């Protein structure tokens, strides 16, 4: 669950502010098709000044975490659902009750000890972003149900692939032996989920969760909006995305960039030692944590700008 709720909703909130009125209107119309829409609306508080609730903005931001919400919904299925099944890459709208957990990442392999990673999964975040982006425009001829489903997945997946550890898995001989002993396929460190670190707060956490939670955990929509902008000056707290980088639309490039950031930042010392060995329960230094947060800020802004461009182009 990259960036957790707080990060995903901050991406969506920033993207909304960069979208054209026409794209906002079409996105809002499609989001009303989501099965959870009425529940999202019911949670929007009434402004104290008597003004109208901004339902479109709120529900757009809230929709960005629906793809994680379904993991805990009783009518959605995860057992037996994997990237190699015939249903893995389907695009059939809300009748699809598979969780599709493998849609949230594309783990490019990283190794320093000569380990041979297994073949890549045939379905992943990259394949699905491409498929949903192609199906989203009206000209593609898809039903509104499918377009709505694709939209809320895109709100989430664009954020996912800008989290460095949703683009990378570390493969070592040690991890290979571990998976072999369990009789399971080699998964490396599963994007940092097999590595424990100790941040400055002293609480041990998985490396993946450390990056996911770098902006906080399970915020409200208004909390995410508030965390984006200074309430007095209305200036954004995060640095603006570079215009040239924001204009890049190739999903594979996005993931390659995230992978490089993972190698340079997530797997930097003290997580790996000078020989490339994993240091379990490494105490993260101030330098490490500062760099990780700076990278995350830039990635959040970049994800928002690229999401806005994608939707402006698709929802003309």
């Amino acid at each position: 669950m990259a960036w957790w709720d707080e990060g995903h909703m901050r991406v969506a909130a920033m993207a909304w502010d960069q979208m054209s009125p026409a794209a906002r209107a079409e996105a809002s119309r499609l989001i009303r098709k989501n099965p959870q829409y009425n529940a999202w609306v019911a949670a929007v508080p009434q402004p104290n000044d008597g003004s109208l609730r901004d339902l479109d903005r709120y529900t757009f931001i809230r929709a960005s975490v629906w793809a994680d919400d379904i993991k805990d919904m009783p009518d959605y299925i995860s057992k037996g659902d994997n990237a190699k099944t015939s249903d893995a890459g389907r695009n059939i709208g809300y009748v699809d009750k598979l969780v599709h957990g493998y849609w949230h990442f594309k783990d490019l392999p990283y190794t320093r000890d000569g380990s041979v990673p297994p073949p890549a999964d045939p379905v992943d975040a990259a394949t699905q972003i491409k498929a949903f982006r192609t199906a989203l425009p009206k000209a593609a001829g898809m039903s509104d149900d499918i377009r709505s489903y694709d939209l809320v997945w895109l709100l989430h997946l664009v954020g996912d692939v800008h989290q460095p550890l949703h683009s990378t898995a570390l493969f070592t001989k040690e991890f290979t032996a571990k998976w072999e002993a369990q009789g399971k396929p080699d998964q490396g460190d599963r994007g940092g989920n097999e590595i424990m670190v100790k941040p400055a707060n002293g609480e041990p956490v998985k490396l993946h969760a450390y990056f996911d939670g770098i902006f906080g955990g399970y915020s409200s929509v208004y909390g995410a909006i508030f965390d984006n902008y200074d309430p007095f000056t209305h200036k954004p707290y995060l640095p603006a995305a570079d215009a040239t980088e924001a204009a890049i639309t190739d999903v594979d490039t996005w993931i390659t960039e995230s992978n490089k950031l993972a190698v340079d930042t997530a797997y930097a010392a003290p997580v790996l030692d000078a020989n490339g060995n994993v240091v379990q329960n490494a105490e993260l230094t101030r330098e490490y944590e500062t760099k990780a947060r700076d990278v995350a800020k830039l990635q959040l802004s970049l994800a928002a700008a690229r999401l806005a461009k994608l939707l402006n182009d698709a929802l003309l």
Side-chain angles (χ1 to χ4, degrees):
M1 295 191 284
W3 305 130
W4 288 345
D5 284 13
E6 168 78 5
H8 273 295
M9 290 195 292
R10 289 183 70 176
V11 168
M14 287 186 286
W16 177 265
D17 291 340
Q18 298 173 61
M19 288 166 61
S20 69
R24 288 181 186 174
E26 181 65 359
S28 297
R29 187 184 73 82
L30 291 173
I31 284 172
R32 295 183 194 113
K33 307 290 182 182
N34 187 281
Q36 295 298 308
Y37 178 78
N38 289 335
W40 298 338
V41 169
V44 184
Q46 183 67 46
N48 293 329
D49 60 5
S51 60
L52 295 176
R53 297 184 295 173
D54 193 349
L55 299 182
D56 287 350
R57 184 187 189 201
Y58 180 100
T59 52
F60 178 90
I61 295 169
R62 181 63 184 81
S64 69
V65 295
W66 177 83
D68 279 342
D69 291 342
I70 63 174
K71 296 174 182 177
D72 295 319
M73 291 183 184
D75 53 338
Y76 281 82
I77 302 165
S78 59
K79 186 176 181 180
D81 175 28
N82 66 74
K84 296 180 176 65
T85 67
S86 59
D87 293 330
R90 67 188 185 183
N91 185 19
I92 59 175
Y94 291 116
V95 296
D96 190 347
K97 297 302 180 182
L98 296 180
V99 168
H100 294 296
Y102 42 87
W103 285 1
H104 294 255
F105 60 91
K106 179 181 177 67
D107 282 345
L108 302 181
Y110 172 49
T111 181
R112 291 178 56 179
D113 66 359
S115 296
V116 180
D121 286 338
V123 177
D124 54 35
T127 64
Q128 297 316 110
I129 290 175
K130 293 172 186 177
F132 296 152
R133 181 169 62 187
T134 300
L136 188 57
K138 285 183 180 179
M142 297 294 183
S143 68
D144 280 351
D145 179 83
I146 291 177
R147 294 177 68 219
S148 174
Y149 180 84
D150 293 356
L151 171 61
V152 294
W153 268 104
L154 284 167
L155 292 181
H156 190 85
L157 294 183
V158 174
D160 272 342
V161 298
H162 284 82
Q163 204 273 59
L165 287 173
H166 274 244
S167 71
T168 316
L170 174 68
F171 289 87
T172 68
K173 294 177 181 177
E174 181 180 358
F175 284 129
T176 299
K178 175 181 176 179
W179 291 115
E180 286 180 350
Q182 297 179 28
K184 296 179 180 179
D186 190 358
Q187 302 172 63
D189 78 331
R190 298 191 303 119
N193 276 299
E194 298 296 322
I195 298 175
M196 297 296 295
V197 296
K198 187 178 291 185
N201 64 10
E203 295 290 335
V205 64
K206 294 177 180 178
L207 179 64
H208 188 103
Y210 171 77
F211 274 83
D212 275 349
I214 210 160
F215 295 106
Y218 300 99
S219 172
S220 68
V221 171
Y222 283 109
I225 294 171
F226 183 85
D227 290 342
N228 270 350
Y229 303 101
D230 185 297
F232 300 105
T233 66
H234 302 291
K235 293 181 179 179
Y237 287 124
L238 298 181
D242 178 85
T244 301
E245 293 183 0
I248 296 172
T249 59
D250 181 66
V251 178
D252 294 318
T253 299
W254 299 351
I255 293 172
T256 299
E257 291 171 350
S258 286
N259 172 259
K260 185 177 186 305
L261 290 172
V263 171
D264 293 344
T265 305
Y267 294 114
V271 175
L272 298 189
D273 65 20
N275 296 316
N277 300 311
V278 173
V279 180
Q280 291 286 359
N281 296 301
E283 292 191 8
L284 301 183
T285 62
R286 178 183 288 259
E287 179 184 7
Y288 181 101
E289 295 206 61
T290 298
K291 185 175 181 181
R293 191 164 187 84
D294 287 345
V295 164
K297 288 177 180 178
L298 290 172
Q299 285 297 94
L300 217 64
S301 292
L302 192 55
R306 286 172 171 170
L307 175 61
K309 177 171 174 51
L310 186 158
L311 297 180
N312 283 334
D313 291 344
L315 299 174
L316 296 175

